[in-house]
């Protein structure tokens, strides 16, 4: 799926635009025991309650593709006959009316997922009448090409607020009231099946995680029983380790700077052009960059081997996941330097009288602890 397809489904999760009849929930404690379950009619909800539930469901269709949102791909064997695909299909095909399937799903989540504290499992089935697109690219509101029934799952931490002093109108006084159990935004969730090319794809799902550092792999293994891309934060750590480990003495400032600038440019182009599919880099892209920077053939080959081992031979990765495009930072044991990512050219490395230095070209005034200073040799102004 791409960002535009996720956004199209997300926009349907508004009051008066969705076709959700019931929202199902399972409240679980930290000991993996069911506190309560419910099946609540959306038609009987207040407008505020409906919006709160829809916001929790919308969230699992939000975020950046490749970071918070990841494609799940099922094999042909799984789709033909596997317990995990059978269960997801039973939930969807029955429109969540198959109570045995619902209870089996709850149990599968509870047995696999380790979250701190209590949490709420929310399930909903929506049916989207996929609107046609005309030659001008506009949607035809009066017709549809197909119905897209799908299930949405949000798994939300439930946090206990602290007791507070609250005003009691009947007594015209303030009293200590106990804390409440408050549902937070989802930690993880998914859409099944995938919505690819604005059509049903039973060979896929869309998986959401709030944290870019945590995939909740135990949940993925239990519910999907297939591999997904490693967390974005881990991709960055692995890539950085590969550069320093494989390149050896060729891992110079200019090499890392070039890689950072190239990836930042690609990420910026994706954002500026509002691309449905974000730009990605592959092994060949990185190899070419390293070769252009003068990295030896031996070290480039070592990097290629590590790339295959860590990411896969044909892996394409988001530049946003490999470098921090919002900052450029240099660190020594005693000094940390933050540089505008667009001005990394102001930094150079030099060896002077046998000592290594990091040099920063100064173009404007310099402040130390908020005080404007004159640098040694700087012309004084009157």
């Amino acid at each position: 799926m791409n960002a535009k397809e996720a956004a199209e489904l997300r926009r349907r999760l508004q009051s008066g635009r969705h076709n959700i009849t019931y929202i199902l929930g399972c409240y679980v404690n930290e000991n993996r025991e069911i506190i309560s379950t419910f099946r609540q009619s959306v038609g009987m909800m207040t407008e505020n309650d409906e919006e709160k539930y829809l916001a929790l469901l919308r969230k699992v269709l939000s975020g950046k593709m490749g970071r918070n949102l990841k494609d799940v791909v099922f094999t042909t064997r799984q789709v033909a006959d596997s317990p995990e695909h059978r269960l997801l299909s039973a939930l969807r095909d029955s429109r969540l009316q198959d109570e045995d399937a619902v209870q089996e799903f709850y149990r599968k989540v509870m047995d696999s997922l380790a979250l701190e504290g209590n949490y709420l499992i929310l399930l909903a089935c929506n049916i989207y009448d996929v609107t046609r697109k005309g030659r001008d690219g506009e949607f035809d509101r009066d017709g549809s090409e197909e119905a897209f029934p799908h299930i949405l799952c949000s798994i939300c931490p439930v946090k206990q607020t602290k007791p507070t002093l609250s005003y009691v109108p009947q007594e015209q006084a303030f009293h200590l009231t106990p804390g409440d159990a408050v549902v937070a935004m989802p930690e993880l969730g998914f859409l099944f099946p995938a919505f690819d090319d604005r059509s049903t794809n039973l060979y896929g799902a869309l998986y959401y995680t709030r944290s870019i550092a945590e995939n909740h792999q135990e949940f993925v293994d239990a519910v999907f029983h297939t591999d997904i891309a490693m967390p974005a934060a881990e991709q960055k750590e692995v890539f950085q380790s590969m550069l320093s480990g494989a390149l050896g003495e060729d891992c110079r400032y200019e090499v890392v700077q070039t890689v950072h600038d190239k990836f930042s440019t690609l990420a910026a182009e994706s954002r500026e052009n509002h691309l449905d599919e974000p730009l990605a880099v592959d092994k060949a892209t990185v190899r070419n960059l390293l070769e252009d920077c003068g990295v030896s053939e031996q070290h480039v080959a070592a990097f290629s081997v590590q790339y295959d081992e860590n990411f896969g031979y044909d892996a394409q990765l988001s530049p946003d996941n490999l470098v921090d495009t919002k900052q450029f930072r240099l660190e020594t044991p005693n000094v940390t330097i933050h540089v505008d990512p667009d001005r990394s050219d102001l930094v150079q490395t030099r060896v002077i009288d046998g000592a290594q230095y990091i040099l920063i070209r100064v173009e404007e005034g310099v402040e130390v602890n908020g005080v404007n200073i004159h640098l040694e040799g700087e012309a004084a102004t009157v």
Side-chain angles (χ1 to χ4, degrees), residues 32 63 81 84 88 116 121 141 147 167 214 217 248 269 280 285 300 303 323 354 356:
R32 302 185 179 186
D81 186 23
E84 59 275 5
L88 293 172
E116 183 178 348
I121 307 170
R141 303 297 181 187
Y167 183 68
E214 176 59 75
Q217 189 61 46
E269 288 177 2
T285 303
V300 171
F303 177 87
V323 299
Q356 297 177 332

Side-chain angles (χ1 to χ4, degrees), residues 46-182:
T46 66
E47 185 176 337
N48 287 337
D49 285 351
E50 178 186 5
E51 173 51 33
K52 291 297 183 183
Y53 277 114
L54 292 176
L56 296 175
L57 296 172
R58 280 196 301 269
K59 190 62 178 178
V60 301
L61 297 174
S62 306
K64 288 187 176 182
M65 301 298 299
R67 288 174 68 81
N68 308 100
L69 296 172
K70 299 181 181 181
D71 285 319
V72 175
V73 180
F74 296 107
T75 65
T76 302
R77 181 198 61 78
Q78 285 180 291
V79 175
D81 186 23
S82 67
E84 59 275 5
H85 202 277
R86 226 174 13 248
L87 177 58
L88 293 172
S89 296
L91 294 172
R92 170 188 178 257
D93 296 344
S94 70
R95 309 298 192 260
L96 297 178
Q97 295 297 318
D98 186 335
E99 191 59 33
D100 290 339
V102 170
Q103 294 302 320
E104 181 183 350
F105 177 78
Y106 289 159
R107 179 52 57 188
K108 189 180 287 281
V109 173
M110 288 188 294
D111 289 344
S112 63
L113 185 59
L115 289 183
E116 183 178 348
N118 300 352
Y119 61 89
L120 176 64
I121 307 170
L122 287 179
L123 282 172
C125 180
N126 193 21
I127 304 175
Y128 174 32
D129 291 325
V130 183
T131 52
R132 291 192 296 260
K133 265 189 176 181
R135 293 181 179 179
D136 58 359
E138 296 296 323
F139 292 115
D140 178 4
R141 303 297 181 187
D142 298 324
S144 64
E145 295 175 330
E146 67 169 286
F148 174 61
H150 53 280
I151 58 172
L152 290 160
C153 173
S154 291
I155 299 180
C156 310
V158 177
K159 301 179 180 180
Q160 193 73 24
T161 62
K162 295 181 179 180
T164 58
L165 279 175
S166 300
Y167 183 68
V168 181
Q170 297 85 346
E171 300 182 22
Q172 297 186 354
F174 286 87
H175 293 289
L176 188 67
T177 58
D180 294 323
V182 178

Side-chain angles (χ1 to χ4, degrees), residues 193-212:
F195 186 58
D196 287 326
D197 295 326
R198 306 189 69 243
S199 187
T200 301
N201 177 12
L202 294 174
Y203 286 80
L206 186 65
Y207 181 56
Y208 166 84
T209 57
R210 180 191 63 81
S211 171
I212 63 170

Side-chain angles (χ1 to χ4, degrees), residues 343-363:
R343 295 311 313 269
S344 62
D345 60 296
L346 296 175
V347 181
Q348 299 179 2
T349 58
R350 289 285 187 276
V351 176
I352 303 175
D353 295 333
Q356 297 177 332
Y357 288 87
I358 297 173
L359 305 181
I360 305 172
R361 187 172 77 254
V362 177
E363 296 182 338

Side-chain angles (χ1 to χ4, degrees), residues 343 346 360-367 372-373 375 378:
R343 295 311 313 269
L346 296 175
I360 305 172
R361 187 172 77 254
V362 177
E363 296 182 338
E364 298 177 354
V366 178
E367 290 186 1
N372 287 308
I373 65 167
L375 298 179
E378 183 181 34

